[in-house]
Amino acid sequence: MLARYPALQSGIETGSVYGSLGALAAGAAAGALVLYLYGLRVRGADDRVTALGRLRRAVRVVLVAVYAATVLALLDAGWFGVVDAAAAPLVGTATSVASAVTLFLGVVTPLPAAIGAYFGSFPAAQSLRGTDVSPASAALRLTRFGLGTALYFTALAVVLDVLDTAPTAALPFVAVLALVLVAVWATSPWLVRLTRSTRPPTDAERDRLARLCREAKLDPHAVRVLEATDAKQAFALARGPPRRQQLFVTDYLLDEVDDEVLRAYLALQAGRERAKHLEARLVLAVGTALFTLGPLLGVLSVPGVADGTVALVALSTGLLGLWAGQWLVYRADAAAAERTSREAVEAAIERYADLNDVRMKWGRLTSLRRMEPPLTRRIDRLRDRAARE
């Protein structure tokens, strides 16, 4: 890897280590200060749910900014040269294992800065939500999530490297990317289990979920319970290909809702699974990014068409697809209402928002990003549909 970054070869010295530690500390301190000050501003708001929504959005923006800035600072400090030098005696310098180790360490090194920055928002989040998560528990969960995600995508990078040197190297870049997306979709249950704390359901939970899944027309291959009671996270999600799909349900959701609401919530998940909402969102997001940035970066080109034109058409098509994809949610809601009842589905949507302190309304950009209409619009659509019938 050093051959790819000649400027880093001179960074293997004690100053690189101190400079890297300084970059991590500076990133954590700056991010934490920004989020702490913003938390002071929103925690006294009259509308607690709106304040939480703004705080969550600020956390996402600040953590991404801190992570990116820390990566640049580590590059400037010569940290990756230190990583290469430390890994060389163990895994060599010109092997696939060495590249994977260097990539993994490079990806996870900025995580302490992002985690440290997150704790600037911790007092405001605790005050607004009233959760029981301790700082140590939050740090462990964030660390597990970061390490698990880094490990998962490092493995994907190794697979890409193998594909690049295997007979599949003759395949177009788009075809290789499609293979990777299929791999992510097929292995997504393992990503959840790698990044979150799960456990098998108890006998009572298993019997309850089996009965309600059967009534909701959801047929998972396996069920796992996500431990999230102290964080007050109430949700369920189905991941993986058909016949190997795994259902993940938080213990907080199981504790807080009755059978009627849980059945409707599971029916909503079944509707989305049949409508392929997650798959459509993944393909649209990745495809839009690829065909928008690919021509501009020289990775992708269309013969006879200007790169700028390709990028503009791809961006417009992707945004239109994300907007149109919201109809998949409406279809899933309608299917859930047919399996249970409109009132039960409405109650499940409202209960989800209440338990997670989620806003019922959000803007157009959020709807595009999630490929999901606001909760109020989903309920209105269900009522309009019932009125027409």
Side-chain angles (χ1 to χ4, degrees):
M1 182 168 177
L2 283 174
R4 303 176 199 171
Y5 304 98
L8 300 180
Q9 295 186 33
S10 61
I12 307 175
E13 55 186 20
T14 303
S16 297
V17 176
Y18 288 143
S20 301
L21 292 175
L24 292 174
L33 179 61
V34 170
L35 289 176
Y36 179 75
L37 293 176
Y38 189 77
L40 289 178
R41 178 183 176 184
V42 301
R43 67 190 299 177
D46 295 332
D47 189 339
R48 183 177 60 86
V49 175
T50 299
L52 268 170
R54 291 173 177 171
L55 182 62
R56 287 165 175 158
R57 185 164 56 247
V59 168
R60 287 194 295 267
V61 171
V62 169
L63 294 194
V64 170
V66 166
Y67 186 91
T70 304
V71 169
L72 295 177
L74 291 172
L75 282 169
D76 185 64
W79 171 252
F80 291 92
V82 176
V83 170
D84 275 332
L90 299 176
V91 295
T93 57
T95 65
S96 297
V97 175
S99 297
V101 170
T102 301
L103 176 62
F104 176 75
L105 293 177
V107 169
V108 302
T109 299
L111 287 178
I115 293 173
Y118 166 80
F119 279 100
S121 67
F122 196 72
Q126 290 286 79
S127 174
L128 290 168
R129 288 223 69 199
T131 57
D132 298 325
V133 181
S134 66
S137 178
L140 287 174
R141 290 181 182 180
L142 288 171
T143 300
R144 175 172 179 166
F145 181 84
L147 291 176
T149 303
L151 181 61
Y152 179 81
F153 285 102
T154 298
L156 282 180
V158 171
V159 171
L160 270 176
D161 187 56
V162 172
L163 290 175
D164 189 49
T165 56
T168 50
L171 292 176
F173 177 75
V174 175
V176 175
L177 182 62
L179 289 175
V180 173
L181 288 179
V182 171
V184 171
W185 170 69
T187 60
S188 55
W190 299 105
L191 176 60
V192 176
R193 297 179 68 167
L194 194 63
T195 56
R196 299 290 299 257
S197 177
T198 70
R199 61 170 175 81
T202 64
D203 291 340
E205 291 171 340
R206 184 179 292 105
D207 292 342
R208 182 190 183 196
L209 286 170
R211 172 172 52 84
L212 296 179
C213 282
R214 187 167 53 251
E215 295 170 357
K217 307 299 182 186
L218 185 64
D219 186 25
H221 173 73
V223 177
R224 300 288 296 184
V225 177
L226 294 166
E227 298 177 335
T229 297
D230 55 353
K232 294 186 176 180
Q233 294 176 334
F235 63 88
L237 49 87
R239 292 291 184 267
R243 298 186 180 181
R244 302 300 300 177
Q245 190 177 71
Q246 296 189 33
L247 175 67
F248 297 91
V249 185
T250 64
D251 48 7
Y252 186 57
L253 179 68
L254 293 174
D255 292 341
E256 294 296 324
V257 300
D258 58 25
D259 283 4
E260 184 177 7
V261 171
L262 184 57
R263 183 189 302 108
Y265 192 87
L266 293 174
L268 286 170
Q269 303 309 307
R272 292 202 181 199
E273 190 274 330
R274 287 176 173 78
K276 304 302 178 187
H277 178 265
L278 176 66
E279 292 82 354
R281 181 183 175 191
L282 180 63
V283 170
L284 279 169
V286 175
T288 301
L290 172 65
F291 285 96
T292 301
L293 299 177
L296 301 179
L297 298 176
V299 177
L300 188 68
S301 63
V302 177
V305 183
D307 289 344
T309 302
V310 175
L312 181 60
V313 171
L315 180 61
S316 302
T317 304
L319 292 177
L320 180 62
L322 289 172
W323 173 79
Q326 297 178 51
W327 289 90
L328 296 177
V329 178
Y330 291 137
R331 192 163 74 178
D333 291 347
E338 290 175 358
R339 293 189 187 98
T340 56
S341 69
R342 176 182 62 81
E343 293 80 7
V345 172
E346 289 181 15
I349 293 173
E350 291 173 344
R351 188 64 174 143
Y352 165 82
D354 179 59
L355 290 174
N356 295 285
D357 289 320
V358 173
R359 291 176 296 170
M360 295 289 291
K361 296 181 180 180
W362 50 69
R364 290 187 178 89
L365 289 179
T366 302
S367 293
L368 286 176
R369 178 174 59 83
R370 297 182 179 184
M371 206 171 86
E372 180 176 335
L375 303 181
T376 50
R377 198 183 304 165
R378 291 170 59 187
I379 291 175
D380 291 342
R381 186 60 60 94
L382 284 170
R383 292 175 178 173
D384 291 342
R385 182 173 177 270
R388 289 193 300 270
E389 296 174 352

